[in-house]
mmCIF file of all heavy atoms in Angstrom:
data_model
loop_
_atom_site.group_PDB
_atom_site.id
_atom_site.type_symbol
_atom_site.label_atom_id
_atom_site.label_comp_id
_atom_site.label_asym_id
_atom_site.label_seq_id
_atom_site.Cartn_x
_atom_site.Cartn_y
_atom_site.Cartn_z
ATOM 1 N N GLY U 16 -4.246 0.398 62.221
ATOM 2 C CA GLY U 16 -3.390 1.495 61.769
ATOM 3 C C GLY U 16 -1.964 1.041 61.546
ATOM 4 O O GLY U 16 -1.325 1.423 60.559
ATOM 5 N N ALA U 17 -1.450 0.203 62.445
ATOM 6 C CA ALA U 17 -0.087 -0.307 62.295
ATOM 7 C C ALA U 17 0.030 -1.176 61.050
ATOM 8 O O ALA U 17 1.040 -1.134 60.333
ATOM 9 C CB ALA U 17 0.320 -1.096 63.539
ATOM 10 N N ALA U 18 -1.016 -1.961 60.757
ATOM 11 C CA ALA U 18 -0.995 -2.820 59.572
ATOM 12 C C ALA U 18 -0.928 -1.985 58.302
ATOM 13 O O ALA U 18 -0.215 -2.330 57.344
ATOM 14 C CB ALA U 18 -2.230 -3.720 59.555
ATOM 15 N N ASP U 19 -1.648 -0.877 58.264
ATOM 16 C CA ASP U 19 -1.598 0.004 57.102
ATOM 17 C C ASP U 19 -0.195 0.572 56.905
ATOM 18 O O ASP U 19 0.306 0.657 55.771
ATOM 19 C CB ASP U 19 -2.594 1.154 57.262
ATOM 20 C CG ASP U 19 -4.045 0.681 57.194
ATOM 21 O OD1 ASP U 19 -4.282 -0.413 56.657
ATOM 22 O OD2 ASP U 19 -4.920 1.408 57.696
ATOM 23 N N LYS U 20 0.425 0.968 57.994
ATOM 24 C CA LYS U 20 1.787 1.521 57.903
ATOM 25 C C LYS U 20 2.764 0.457 57.419
ATOM 26 O O LYS U 20 3.650 0.742 56.596
ATOM 27 C CB LYS U 20 2.230 2.056 59.271
ATOM 28 C CG LYS U 20 1.308 3.118 59.870
ATOM 29 C CD LYS U 20 1.116 4.307 58.962
ATOM 30 C CE LYS U 20 0.173 5.328 59.580
ATOM 31 N NZ LYS U 20 -0.154 6.430 58.649
ATOM 32 N N ARG U 21 2.613 -0.776 57.901
ATOM 33 C CA ARG U 21 3.520 -1.842 57.496
ATOM 34 C C ARG U 21 3.397 -2.137 56.004
ATOM 35 O O ARG U 21 4.398 -2.382 55.326
ATOM 36 C CB ARG U 21 3.242 -3.114 58.309
ATOM 37 C CG ARG U 21 3.622 -3.007 59.780
ATOM 38 C CD ARG U 21 3.651 -4.378 60.428
ATOM 39 N NE ARG U 21 3.922 -4.260 61.845
ATOM 40 C CZ ARG U 21 3.001 -4.280 62.794
ATOM 41 N NH1 ARG U 21 1.709 -4.427 62.456
ATOM 42 N NH2 ARG U 21 3.324 -4.172 64.053
ATOM 43 N N ARG U 22 2.178 -2.141 55.499
ATOM 44 C CA ARG U 22 1.988 -2.377 54.067
ATOM 45 C C ARG U 22 2.680 -1.298 53.242
ATOM 46 O O ARG U 22 3.328 -1.592 52.224
ATOM 47 C CB ARG U 22 0.495 -2.433 53.735
ATOM 48 C CG ARG U 22 -0.158 -3.772 54.012
ATOM 49 C CD ARG U 22 -1.533 -3.863 53.368
ATOM 50 N NE ARG U 22 -2.464 -2.899 53.954
ATOM 51 C CZ ARG U 22 -3.222 -3.137 55.011
ATOM 52 N NH1 ARG U 22 -3.165 -4.333 55.608
ATOM 53 N NH2 ARG U 22 -4.056 -2.218 55.482
ATOM 54 N N ALA U 23 2.572 -0.056 53.661
ATOM 55 C CA ALA U 23 3.221 1.034 52.930
ATOM 56 C C ALA U 23 4.742 0.887 52.969
ATOM 57 O O ALA U 23 5.432 1.121 51.962
ATOM 58 C CB ALA U 23 2.800 2.382 53.526
ATOM 59 N N ILE U 24 5.273 0.490 54.113
ATOM 60 C CA ILE U 24 6.726 0.297 54.244
ATOM 61 C C ILE U 24 7.184 -0.833 53.328
ATOM 62 O O ILE U 24 8.186 -0.707 52.597
ATOM 63 C CB ILE U 24 7.093 -0.011 55.706
ATOM 64 C CG1 ILE U 24 6.804 1.201 56.594
ATOM 65 C CG2 ILE U 24 8.558 -0.421 55.822
ATOM 66 C CD1 ILE U 24 6.882 0.906 58.083
ATOM 67 N N GLU U 25 6.474 -1.937 53.338
ATOM 68 C CA GLU U 25 6.873 -3.095 52.538
ATOM 69 C C GLU U 25 6.773 -2.798 51.044
ATOM 70 O O GLU U 25 7.609 -3.259 50.260
ATOM 71 C CB GLU U 25 6.005 -4.299 52.913
ATOM 72 C CG GLU U 25 6.309 -4.815 54.320
ATOM 73 C CD GLU U 25 5.393 -5.933 54.748
ATOM 74 O OE1 GLU U 25 4.376 -6.171 54.043
ATOM 75 O OE2 GLU U 25 5.680 -6.584 55.766
ATOM 76 N N GLU U 26 5.785 -2.026 50.644
ATOM 77 C CA GLU U 26 5.692 -1.656 49.241
ATOM 78 C C GLU U 26 6.863 -0.766 48.825
ATOM 79 O O GLU U 26 7.370 -0.871 47.700
ATOM 80 C CB GLU U 26 4.368 -0.941 48.973
ATOM 81 C CG GLU U 26 3.152 -1.871 49.025
ATOM 82 C CD GLU U 26 1.847 -1.113 48.890
ATOM 83 O OE1 GLU U 26 1.896 0.138 48.757
ATOM 84 O OE2 GLU U 26 0.774 -1.760 48.927
ATOM 85 N N ALA U 27 7.301 0.118 49.704
ATOM 86 C CA ALA U 27 8.437 0.988 49.389
ATOM 87 C C ALA U 27 9.705 0.173 49.153
ATOM 88 O O ALA U 27 10.561 0.550 48.344
ATOM 89 C CB ALA U 27 8.655 2.000 50.513
ATOM 90 N N PHE U 28 9.835 -0.958 49.848
ATOM 91 C CA PHE U 28 11.020 -1.812 49.733
ATOM 92 C C PHE U 28 10.795 -3.005 48.794
ATOM 93 O O PHE U 28 11.594 -3.946 48.818
ATOM 94 C CB PHE U 28 11.438 -2.324 51.122
ATOM 95 C CG PHE U 28 12.135 -1.299 51.966
ATOM 96 C CD1 PHE U 28 11.429 -0.562 52.903
ATOM 97 C CD2 PHE U 28 13.490 -1.058 51.837
ATOM 98 C CE1 PHE U 28 12.062 0.381 53.703
ATOM 99 C CE2 PHE U 28 14.135 -0.118 52.620
ATOM 100 C CZ PHE U 28 13.419 0.608 53.561
ATOM 101 N N TYR U 29 9.731 -2.984 47.995
ATOM 102 C CA TYR U 29 9.456 -4.046 47.027
ATOM 103 C C TYR U 29 9.310 -5.418 47.680
ATOM 104 O O TYR U 29 9.598 -6.452 47.056
ATOM 105 C CB TYR U 29 10.552 -4.105 45.954
ATOM 106 C CG TYR U 29 10.678 -2.844 45.149
ATOM 107 C CD1 TYR U 29 11.517 -1.806 45.572
ATOM 108 C CD2 TYR U 29 9.953 -2.652 43.991
ATOM 109 C CE1 TYR U 29 11.624 -0.624 44.841
ATOM 110 C CE2 TYR U 29 10.059 -1.483 43.252
ATOM 111 C CZ TYR U 29 10.894 -0.476 43.691
ATOM 112 O OH TYR U 29 11.004 0.693 42.965
ATOM 113 N N VAL U 30 8.856 -5.450 48.919
ATOM 114 C CA VAL U 30 8.694 -6.724 49.615
ATOM 115 C C VAL U 30 7.667 -7.621 48.922
ATOM 116 O O VAL U 30 7.907 -8.826 48.772
ATOM 117 C CB VAL U 30 8.325 -6.489 51.092
ATOM 118 C CG1 VAL U 30 7.899 -7.790 51.773
ATOM 119 C CG2 VAL U 30 9.513 -5.890 51.835
ATOM 120 N N PRO U 31 6.502 -7.095 48.475
ATOM 121 C CA PRO U 31 5.560 -7.984 47.780
ATOM 122 C C PRO U 31 6.177 -8.673 46.568
ATOM 123 O O PRO U 31 5.915 -9.843 46.310
ATOM 124 C CB PRO U 31 4.420 -7.034 47.378
ATOM 125 C CG PRO U 31 4.468 -5.932 48.382
ATOM 126 C CD PRO U 31 5.929 -5.738 48.657
ATOM 127 N N LEU U 32 7.022 -7.945 45.813
ATOM 128 C CA LEU U 32 7.667 -8.517 44.632
ATOM 129 C C LEU U 32 8.581 -9.672 45.019
ATOM 130 O O LEU U 32 8.458 -10.784 44.499
ATOM 131 C CB LEU U 32 8.449 -7.432 43.900
ATOM 132 C CG LEU U 32 9.403 -7.908 42.789
ATOM 133 C CD1 LEU U 32 8.625 -8.576 41.670
ATOM 134 C CD2 LEU U 32 10.223 -6.746 42.255
ATOM 135 N N PHE U 33 9.510 -9.427 45.949
ATOM 136 C CA PHE U 33 10.488 -10.458 46.287
ATOM 137 C C PHE U 33 9.885 -11.563 47.154
ATOM 138 O O PHE U 33 10.362 -12.699 47.114
ATOM 139 C CB PHE U 33 11.695 -9.822 46.978
ATOM 140 C CG PHE U 33 12.590 -9.085 46.028
ATOM 141 C CD1 PHE U 33 12.570 -7.705 45.940
ATOM 142 C CD2 PHE U 33 13.446 -9.776 45.190
ATOM 143 C CE1 PHE U 33 13.383 -7.026 45.059
ATOM 144 C CE2 PHE U 33 14.271 -9.100 44.297
ATOM 145 C CZ PHE U 33 14.239 -7.730 44.230
ATOM 146 N N SER U 34 8.848 -11.259 47.917
ATOM 147 C CA SER U 34 8.176 -12.310 48.679
ATOM 148 C C SER U 34 7.476 -13.276 47.738
ATOM 149 O O SER U 34 7.504 -14.492 47.938
ATOM 150 C CB SER U 34 7.169 -11.706 49.667
ATOM 151 O OG SER U 34 7.828 -10.966 50.663
ATOM 152 N N ALA U 35 6.850 -12.741 46.686
ATOM 153 C CA ALA U 35 6.188 -13.606 45.704
ATOM 154 C C ALA U 35 7.208 -14.470 44.975
ATOM 155 O O ALA U 35 6.987 -15.662 44.745
ATOM 156 C CB ALA U 35 5.396 -12.762 44.715
ATOM 157 N N ILE U 36 8.346 -13.883 44.616
ATOM 158 C CA ILE U 36 9.382 -14.655 43.921
ATOM 159 C C ILE U 36 9.963 -15.721 44.835
ATOM 160 O O ILE U 36 10.257 -16.837 44.405
ATOM 161 C CB ILE U 36 10.495 -13.707 43.418
ATOM 162 C CG1 ILE U 36 9.934 -12.765 42.349
ATOM 163 C CG2 ILE U 36 11.659 -14.494 42.852
ATOM 164 C CD1 ILE U 36 10.924 -11.721 41.876
ATOM 165 N N SER U 37 10.110 -15.407 46.128
ATOM 166 C CA SER U 37 10.700 -16.364 47.067
ATOM 167 C C SER U 37 9.830 -17.595 47.253
ATOM 168 O O SER U 37 10.312 -18.635 47.702
ATOM 169 C CB SER U 37 10.949 -15.696 48.424
ATOM 170 O OG SER U 37 9.723 -15.370 49.053
ATOM 171 N N GLN U 38 8.538 -17.491 46.905
ATOM 172 C CA GLN U 38 7.658 -18.649 47.015
ATOM 173 C C GLN U 38 7.947 -19.668 45.914
ATOM 174 O O GLN U 38 7.549 -20.827 46.021
ATOM 175 C CB GLN U 38 6.191 -18.208 46.926
ATOM 176 C CG GLN U 38 5.782 -17.196 47.984
ATOM 177 C CD GLN U 38 5.972 -17.700 49.400
ATOM 178 O OE1 GLN U 38 5.650 -18.839 49.697
ATOM 179 N NE2 GLN U 38 6.497 -16.854 50.260
ATOM 180 N N LEU U 39 8.632 -19.221 44.838
ATOM 181 C CA LEU U 39 8.963 -20.128 43.749
ATOM 182 C C LEU U 39 10.133 -21.009 44.136
ATOM 183 O O LEU U 39 10.948 -20.678 45.000
ATOM 184 C CB LEU U 39 9.331 -19.342 42.494
ATOM 185 C CG LEU U 39 8.226 -18.488 41.866
ATOM 186 C CD1 LEU U 39 8.811 -17.678 40.723
ATOM 187 C CD2 LEU U 39 7.088 -19.352 41.371
ATOM 188 N N ASP U 40 10.237 -22.137 43.466
ATOM 189 C CA ASP U 40 11.393 -22.999 43.636
ATOM 190 C C ASP U 40 12.630 -22.295 43.087
ATOM 191 O O ASP U 40 12.545 -21.482 42.172
ATOM 192 C CB ASP U 40 11.164 -24.319 42.880
ATOM 193 C CG ASP U 40 12.276 -25.326 43.143
ATOM 194 O OD1 ASP U 40 12.229 -26.008 44.175
ATOM 195 O OD2 ASP U 40 13.186 -25.395 42.298
ATOM 196 N N ARG U 41 13.801 -22.625 43.629
ATOM 197 C CA ARG U 41 15.033 -21.964 43.183
ATOM 198 C C ARG U 41 15.328 -22.252 41.714
ATOM 199 O O ARG U 41 16.108 -21.553 41.077
ATOM 200 C CB ARG U 41 16.226 -22.414 44.039
ATOM 201 C CG ARG U 41 16.186 -21.864 45.455
ATOM 202 C CD ARG U 41 17.485 -22.197 46.191
ATOM 203 N NE ARG U 41 18.627 -21.560 45.577
ATOM 204 C CZ ARG U 41 19.011 -20.304 45.812
ATOM 205 N NH1 ARG U 41 18.319 -19.558 46.654
ATOM 206 N NH2 ARG U 41 20.072 -19.811 45.232
ATOM 207 N N THR U 42 14.703 -23.309 41.163
ATOM 208 C CA THR U 42 14.919 -23.624 39.759
ATOM 209 C C THR U 42 13.881 -22.956 38.859
ATOM 210 O O THR U 42 13.763 -23.289 37.685
ATOM 211 C CB THR U 42 14.860 -25.145 39.539
ATOM 212 O OG1 THR U 42 13.565 -25.627 39.975
ATOM 213 C CG2 THR U 42 15.937 -25.846 40.343
ATOM 214 N N ALA U 43 13.116 -22.013 39.400
ATOM 215 C CA ALA U 43 12.085 -21.345 38.608
ATOM 216 C C ALA U 43 12.696 -20.691 37.378
ATOM 217 O O ALA U 43 13.822 -20.180 37.407
ATOM 218 C CB ALA U 43 11.368 -20.304 39.459
ATOM 219 N N THR U 44 11.960 -20.722 36.292
ATOM 220 C CA THR U 44 12.445 -20.161 35.037
ATOM 221 C C THR U 44 12.199 -18.662 34.993
ATOM 222 O O THR U 44 11.421 -18.108 35.771
ATOM 223 C CB THR U 44 11.739 -20.810 33.842
ATOM 224 O OG1 THR U 44 10.343 -20.463 33.904
ATOM 225 C CG2 THR U 44 11.886 -22.320 33.875
ATOM 226 N N ALA U 45 12.860 -18.009 34.022
ATOM 227 C CA ALA U 45 12.658 -16.570 33.852
ATOM 228 C C ALA U 45 11.214 -16.264 33.478
ATOM 229 O O ALA U 45 10.676 -15.227 33.846
ATOM 230 C CB ALA U 45 13.607 -16.043 32.771
ATOM 231 N N THR U 46 10.572 -17.189 32.742
ATOM 232 C CA THR U 46 9.174 -16.970 32.366
ATOM 233 C C THR U 46 8.290 -16.924 33.604
ATOM 234 O O THR U 46 7.391 -16.078 33.722
ATOM 235 C CB THR U 46 8.700 -18.083 31.418
ATOM 236 O OG1 THR U 46 9.537 -18.089 30.259
ATOM 237 C CG2 THR U 46 7.259 -17.865 31.003
ATOM 238 N N GLU U 47 8.534 -17.846 34.559
ATOM 239 C CA GLU U 47 7.740 -17.865 35.790
ATOM 240 C C GLU U 47 7.965 -16.594 36.602
ATOM 241 O O GLU U 47 7.035 -16.010 37.152
ATOM 242 C CB GLU U 47 8.088 -19.104 36.618
ATOM 243 C CG GLU U 47 7.671 -20.405 35.961
ATOM 244 C CD GLU U 47 8.192 -21.618 36.711
ATOM 245 O OE1 GLU U 47 9.380 -21.616 37.099
ATOM 246 O OE2 GLU U 47 7.429 -22.564 36.900
ATOM 247 N N VAL U 48 9.218 -16.184 36.680
ATOM 248 C CA VAL U 48 9.523 -14.953 37.422
ATOM 249 C C VAL U 48 8.922 -13.753 36.711
ATOM 250 O O VAL U 48 8.375 -12.837 37.332
ATOM 251 C CB VAL U 48 11.044 -14.789 37.597
ATOM 252 C CG1 VAL U 48 11.360 -13.464 38.270
ATOM 253 C CG2 VAL U 48 11.616 -15.939 38.409
ATOM 254 N N ARG U 49 9.008 -13.737 35.363
ATOM 255 C CA ARG U 49 8.501 -12.601 34.604
ATOM 256 C C ARG U 49 6.992 -12.430 34.811
ATOM 257 O O ARG U 49 6.470 -11.316 34.845
ATOM 258 C CB ARG U 49 8.820 -12.767 33.124
ATOM 259 C CG ARG U 49 8.425 -11.563 32.281
ATOM 260 C CD ARG U 49 9.107 -11.566 30.920
ATOM 261 N NE ARG U 49 8.738 -12.695 30.110
ATOM 262 C CZ ARG U 49 9.579 -13.690 29.781
ATOM 263 N NH1 ARG U 49 10.810 -13.679 30.242
ATOM 264 N NH2 ARG U 49 9.179 -14.689 29.033
ATOM 265 N N ALA U 50 6.286 -13.572 34.981
ATOM 266 C CA ALA U 50 4.847 -13.488 35.206
ATOM 267 C C ALA U 50 4.535 -12.762 36.508
ATOM 268 O O ALA U 50 3.523 -12.072 36.631
ATOM 269 C CB ALA U 50 4.249 -14.895 35.237
ATOM 270 N N ILE U 51 5.432 -12.883 37.495
ATOM 271 C CA ILE U 51 5.222 -12.232 38.788
ATOM 272 C C ILE U 51 5.620 -10.762 38.742
ATOM 273 O O ILE U 51 4.956 -9.893 39.310
ATOM 274 C CB ILE U 51 6.018 -12.970 39.882
ATOM 275 C CG1 ILE U 51 5.406 -14.360 40.127
ATOM 276 C CG2 ILE U 51 6.030 -12.181 41.187
ATOM 277 C CD1 ILE U 51 6.172 -15.191 41.120
ATOM 278 N N VAL U 52 6.703 -10.462 38.051
ATOM 279 C CA VAL U 52 7.232 -9.097 38.102
ATOM 280 C C VAL U 52 6.612 -8.173 37.056
ATOM 281 O O VAL U 52 6.985 -7.004 36.980
ATOM 282 C CB VAL U 52 8.769 -9.084 37.934
ATOM 283 C CG1 VAL U 52 9.428 -9.952 38.964
ATOM 284 C CG2 VAL U 52 9.163 -9.525 36.526
ATOM 285 N N THR U 53 5.691 -8.694 36.252
ATOM 286 C CA THR U 53 5.118 -7.873 35.182
ATOM 287 C C THR U 53 4.583 -6.550 35.714
ATOM 288 O O THR U 53 4.862 -5.473 35.179
ATOM 289 C CB THR U 53 4.000 -8.635 34.455
ATOM 290 O OG1 THR U 53 4.566 -9.792 33.844
ATOM 291 C CG2 THR U 53 3.360 -7.754 33.397
ATOM 292 N N GLU U 54 3.792 -6.617 36.802
ATOM 293 C CA GLU U 54 3.189 -5.400 37.328
ATOM 294 C C GLU U 54 4.216 -4.461 37.930
ATOM 295 O O GLU U 54 4.032 -3.249 37.938
ATOM 296 C CB GLU U 54 2.134 -5.759 38.372
ATOM 297 C CG GLU U 54 0.943 -6.527 37.796
ATOM 298 C CD GLU U 54 -0.103 -6.800 38.852
ATOM 299 O OE1 GLU U 54 0.111 -6.391 40.012
ATOM 300 O OE2 GLU U 54 -1.125 -7.421 38.523
ATOM 301 N N SER U 55 5.317 -5.017 38.468
ATOM 302 C CA SER U 55 6.332 -4.192 39.124
ATOM 303 C C SER U 55 7.473 -3.825 38.185
ATOM 304 O O SER U 55 8.386 -3.110 38.583
ATOM 305 C CB SER U 55 6.898 -4.936 40.348
ATOM 306 O OG SER U 55 5.870 -5.265 41.247
ATOM 307 N N ARG U 56 7.429 -4.316 36.947
ATOM 308 C CA ARG U 56 8.545 -4.114 36.026
ATOM 309 C C ARG U 56 8.855 -2.645 35.814
ATOM 310 O O ARG U 56 10.015 -2.220 35.856
ATOM 311 C CB ARG U 56 8.217 -4.788 34.690
ATOM 312 C CG ARG U 56 9.345 -4.712 33.671
ATOM 313 C CD ARG U 56 8.963 -5.493 32.411
ATOM 314 N NE ARG U 56 10.073 -5.505 31.472
ATOM 315 C CZ ARG U 56 10.281 -4.581 30.542
ATOM 316 N NH1 ARG U 56 9.434 -3.571 30.445
ATOM 317 N NH2 ARG U 56 11.310 -4.659 29.735
ATOM 318 N N GLU U 57 7.815 -1.838 35.589
ATOM 319 C CA GLU U 57 8.044 -0.424 35.323
ATOM 320 C C GLU U 57 8.657 0.282 36.520
ATOM 321 O O GLU U 57 9.405 1.252 36.372
ATOM 322 C CB GLU U 57 6.719 0.250 34.936
ATOM 323 C CG GLU U 57 6.166 -0.164 33.584
ATOM 324 C CD GLU U 57 5.530 -1.546 33.610
ATOM 325 O OE1 GLU U 57 5.335 -2.068 34.731
ATOM 326 O OE2 GLU U 57 5.247 -2.103 32.544
ATOM 327 N N LEU U 58 8.351 -0.202 37.731
ATOM 328 C CA LEU U 58 8.879 0.435 38.937
ATOM 329 C C LEU U 58 10.302 -0.016 39.231
ATOM 330 O O LEU U 58 11.145 0.784 39.633
ATOM 331 C CB LEU U 58 7.976 0.115 40.133
ATOM 332 C CG LEU U 58 6.529 0.611 40.044
ATOM 333 C CD1 LEU U 58 5.736 0.134 41.256
ATOM 334 C CD2 LEU U 58 6.488 2.130 39.962
ATOM 335 N N PHE U 59 10.587 -1.314 39.035
ATOM 336 C CA PHE U 59 11.893 -1.842 39.434
ATOM 337 C C PHE U 59 12.924 -1.781 38.313
ATOM 338 O O PHE U 59 14.124 -1.821 38.583
ATOM 339 C CB PHE U 59 11.745 -3.294 39.910
ATOM 340 C CG PHE U 59 12.928 -3.781 40.698
ATOM 341 C CD1 PHE U 59 13.100 -3.389 42.021
ATOM 342 C CD2 PHE U 59 13.887 -4.611 40.129
ATOM 343 C CE1 PHE U 59 14.193 -3.820 42.755
ATOM 344 C CE2 PHE U 59 14.978 -5.039 40.855
ATOM 345 C CZ PHE U 59 15.129 -4.651 42.172
ATOM 346 N N HIS U 60 12.497 -1.664 37.076
ATOM 347 C CA HIS U 60 13.447 -1.685 35.968
ATOM 348 C C HIS U 60 14.517 -0.592 36.069
ATOM 349 O O HIS U 60 15.704 -0.875 35.877
ATOM 350 C CB HIS U 60 12.695 -1.592 34.638
ATOM 351 C CG HIS U 60 13.549 -1.912 33.459
ATOM 352 N ND1 HIS U 60 14.408 -0.995 32.897
ATOM 353 C CD2 HIS U 60 13.707 -3.044 32.732
ATOM 354 C CE1 HIS U 60 15.052 -1.535 31.885
ATOM 355 N NE2 HIS U 60 14.634 -2.774 31.759
ATOM 356 N N PRO U 61 14.170 0.673 36.341
ATOM 357 C CA PRO U 61 15.234 1.684 36.458
ATOM 358 C C PRO U 61 16.172 1.416 37.625
ATOM 359 O O PRO U 61 17.352 1.776 37.562
ATOM 360 C CB PRO U 61 14.460 2.995 36.646
ATOM 361 C CG PRO U 61 13.103 2.595 37.100
ATOM 362 C CD PRO U 61 12.834 1.273 36.467
ATOM 363 N N ILE U 62 15.663 0.791 38.685
ATOM 364 C CA ILE U 62 16.522 0.447 39.815
ATOM 365 C C ILE U 62 17.536 -0.597 39.382
ATOM 366 O O ILE U 62 18.731 -0.506 39.705
ATOM 367 C CB ILE U 62 15.669 -0.082 40.994
ATOM 368 C CG1 ILE U 62 14.533 0.894 41.322
ATOM 369 C CG2 ILE U 62 16.538 -0.336 42.202
ATOM 370 C CD1 ILE U 62 14.973 2.303 41.608
ATOM 371 N N PHE U 63 17.076 -1.592 38.632
ATOM 372 C CA PHE U 63 17.973 -2.634 38.139
ATOM 373 C C PHE U 63 18.998 -2.052 37.172
ATOM 374 O O PHE U 63 20.167 -2.450 37.172
ATOM 375 C CB PHE U 63 17.155 -3.735 37.465
ATOM 376 C CG PHE U 63 17.988 -4.867 36.940
ATOM 377 C CD1 PHE U 63 18.495 -5.833 37.789
ATOM 378 C CD2 PHE U 63 18.280 -4.959 35.578
ATOM 379 C CE1 PHE U 63 19.272 -6.878 37.307
ATOM 380 C CE2 PHE U 63 19.044 -5.991 35.088
ATOM 381 C CZ PHE U 63 19.544 -6.959 35.954
#
């Protein structure tokens, strides 16, 4: 039950998005980042 709650919290704060990006090297290109954020683009774009 606690694991389910944690997943919901992390999704609210876009943790999966930024955790995936953090796995990339700091020299990662915009194309590499764009491949990761494609699914979250519609959600994060208005925030940006």
Side-chain angles (χ1 to χ4, degrees):
D19 291 340
K20 303 303 179 187
R21 291 194 184 98
R22 278 193 295 271
I24 294 169
E25 291 176 349
E26 289 174 0
F28 284 97
Y29 299 89
V30 169
L32 169 63
F33 285 103
S34 294
I36 295 175
S37 67
Q38 302 301 317
L39 296 174
D40 186 82
R41 289 187 64 84
T42 59
T44 65
T46 301
E47 293 172 315
V48 176
R49 185 163 63 248
I51 291 176
V52 304
T53 297
E54 295 183 0
S55 302
R56 183 176 184 271
E57 291 76 12
L58 298 176
F59 197 77
H60 193 279
I62 308 305
F63 181 77

